[in-house]
Amino acid sequence: MSTTPAETNAAPTATAPAPSPDDGALAWLHALGPRGRRAFAGAFGGYALDSYDYFTLPLSMVALAAYFGLDSGQTGLFTTVTLVVSAVGGALAGVVADRIGRVKALMITVVTYAVFTVACGFAPNYETLLVFRALQGLGFGGEWAVGAILVAEYASARHRGRTLGAIQSSWAVGWALAAIMYTLVFSLLDDDLAWRVMFWTGALPALLVVWMRRRVHDAPQAVAVREHSARKGSFAAIFKPGRAGSPGLLRTTVFAVLLSTGVQGGYYTLATWVPTYLKTERDLSVVGTGGYLTFLISGAFLGYLTGGYLTDRLGRRRNIWLFALLSAVCVLAYANIPSGANTLLLVLGFPLGFCMSAIFAGFGSYLSELYPTAVRGTGQGFTYNTVRAVGAVFPTTVGFLADSWGVGGALVFGAIGYGLAALALLGLPETRGRELA
């Protein structure tokens, strides 16, 4: 978007150029400007707390199953309904973001997932908990897409991958907070109460909304487009087929849906079932599970940051191809570690978390660049979130297969998702360096 004086005035010589603010490790943050940095903080905090509220369920899954007397298929259904309803919430949030603004839509999503996460803690039975968890998905589905668009519209084309990769890293921060809280709560309280307390702590995002309401604003160019565009927030526009002289967005939408389905199917299979795998098949204690998750989450955090850097260096498509392959290999290795080799399980947790997160790092920038401003929220919200309804089949399938294959064996099913993602890239263009229009 902007060009620094050092970059503009550099003399064309054969020697190496003088250091520029655009070349530093935090150049992406400086390039955002004051308003952009506040938008970054709001989106980072919203996504971290979105992650926190999401992981209250997988971490409490064993206690919930015991409390309500559930089998693996029923517990897998929790994740499925969350992801299916989040598909609806995400698509609607994208339209809302195009029509009333990114920040207002972001606040709506945060309040929604916070309210229904807390409500889960009061559920008297399995059916009620299933309904509350589904409604939590309405807010959960919309937060990332809206927050990513908000920041993408402030970011420079040169640094957009790194900037959105940093936003993605907040997912690991929220996951870590949830793991810490899980270790504390389940160590201090009886399981029958501990799972409820975990959900009650989901009220934290309300504090973020109060700050965002005063301090965060949409990017000026997005406001201008919203005020003057007649086609803002149109589902018809993202499914418009191409014609002579008008490429349309149908092809982009179809292949972006396939890409998101594969990546999210693989990811949510692991995110949902690894804690259960560690406790039931590896016989780890609460503290032991927390320790193993530390390696997994640490790898995830660094994976987001590294993937964001590589998506700017290698390009969006090459980054996703690279980590789709590595993620599939890590899943297969992790699920087939021999019994008793728990040290190897610990070590492999880091590359598993790294690879399955690095593939996500380029999503925010890539999807933002595939759609024009007037329908960016709609396009990104639909392609990233609607496919959760399809990707949700993966965790449920693992749940049903777990009874006969074991959780470890069933986790291999997640590798199929990464293969689908790699194939989907054949139908999408490279967008590195593209200015948002």
Side-chain angles (χ1 to χ4, degrees):
M1 289 171 56
S2 61
T3 305
T4 63
E7 191 175 54
T8 303
N9 300 327
T13 66
T15 59
S20 163
D22 272 356
D23 298 326
L26 295 178
W28 59 270
L29 188 60
H30 296 308
L32 288 171
R35 288 180 56 159
R37 286 192 286 273
R38 289 196 296 272
F40 176 87
F44 188 98
Y47 197 46
L49 293 170
D50 194 18
S51 170
Y52 179 92
D53 280 11
Y54 173 80
F55 279 106
T56 53
L57 175 66
L59 290 168
S60 303
M61 196 87 87
V62 173
L64 281 171
Y67 186 86
F68 290 118
L70 309 177
D71 59 30
S72 296
Q74 289 174 307
T75 53
L77 191 58
F78 280 125
T79 298
T80 297
V81 297
T82 302
L83 299 182
V84 168
V85 178
S86 75
V88 178
L92 292 177
V95 174
V96 171
D98 284 337
R99 295 188 177 183
I100 70 171
R102 316 317 194 194
V103 175
K104 289 180 181 177
L106 185 61
M107 290 191 293
I108 290 171
T109 65
V110 172
V111 169
T112 301
Y113 73 65
V115 167
F116 287 108
T117 297
V118 173
C120 286
F122 293 99
N125 52 50
Y126 170 70
E127 292 76 15
T128 304
L129 180 58
L130 198 63
V131 171
F132 285 154
R133 186 64 179 181
L135 293 173
Q136 187 261 4
L138 287 174
F140 167 70
E143 197 286 333
W144 178 84
V146 177
I149 293 166
L150 171 67
V151 177
E153 290 172 340
Y154 276 107
S156 68
R158 179 176 180 180
H159 301 302
R160 191 172 295 119
R162 275 163 281 192
T163 305
L164 273 296
I167 290 290
Q168 289 274 182
S169 73
S170 66
W171 181 265
V173 173
W175 190 2
L177 290 174
I180 292 169
M181 186 64 71
Y182 159 80
T183 302
L184 290 173
V185 170
F186 276 82
S187 295
L188 296 174
L189 301 175
D190 181 77
D191 282 8
D192 289 351
L193 176 61
W195 69 264
R196 293 188 184 275
V197 173
M198 280 293 293
F199 283 119
W200 292 337
T201 61
L204 292 172
L207 300 175
L208 176 68
V209 172
V210 174
W211 176 80
M212 286 176 56
R213 193 165 175 267
R214 295 176 176 271
R215 302 287 292 166
V216 182
H217 306 281
D218 287 5
Q221 70 270 27
V223 175
V225 170
R226 187 171 68 250
E227 290 176 347
H228 297 97
S229 176
R231 301 183 64 195
K232 57 189 177 185
S234 167
F235 281 119
I238 67 171
F239 286 102
K240 182 180 179 181
R243 296 186 179 88
S246 176
L249 292 169
L250 177 61
R251 177 187 173 90
T252 295
T253 299
V254 168
F255 281 99
V257 162
L258 291 175
L259 174 66
S260 295
T261 298
V263 172
Q264 295 197 73
Y267 180 85
Y268 284 110
T269 294
L270 297 172
T272 301
W273 287 104
V274 164
T276 299
Y277 171 63
L278 293 174
K279 288 197 70 174
T280 60
E281 295 197 13
R282 293 292 172 169
D283 298 319
L284 297 181
S285 65
V286 168
V287 175
T289 299
Y292 277 70
L293 288 176
T294 298
F295 273 75
L296 188 68
I297 295 168
S298 298
F301 180 75
L302 292 177
Y304 286 126
L305 296 179
T306 304
Y309 173 78
L310 289 177
T311 199
D312 281 336
R313 297 284 296 186
L314 302 177
R316 313 320 188 205
R317 298 167 80 234
R318 287 180 181 177
N319 184 70
I320 295 173
W321 260 323
L322 172 63
F323 287 107
L325 173 62
L326 294 178
S327 295
V329 170
C330 285
V331 171
L332 294 173
Y334 196 79
N336 289 284
I337 295 173
S339 178
N342 283 355
T343 300
L344 182 58
L345 188 76
L346 180 70
V347 172
L348 276 181
F350 186 90
L352 177 65
F354 183 93
C355 293
M356 74 183 198
S357 298
I359 194 173
F360 266 110
F363 258 54
S365 54
Y366 196 29
L367 294 179
S368 292
E369 291 159 354
L370 288 172
Y371 290 95
T373 300
V375 293
R376 183 167 296 121
T378 305
Q380 189 155 337
F382 180 86
T383 57
Y384 186 82
N385 291 290
T386 303
V387 300
R388 281 178 170 157
V390 181
V393 172
F394 286 73
T396 301
T397 301
V398 170
F400 285 107
L401 291 177
D403 291 332
S404 56
W405 292 12
V407 177
L411 282 176
V412 174
F413 190 75
I416 297 173
Y418 292 116
L420 176 62
L423 291 175
L425 288 169
L426 297 175
L428 293 170
E430 177 56 59
T431 61
R432 179 177 56 168
R434 179 179 293 183
E435 296 288 351
L436 299 186

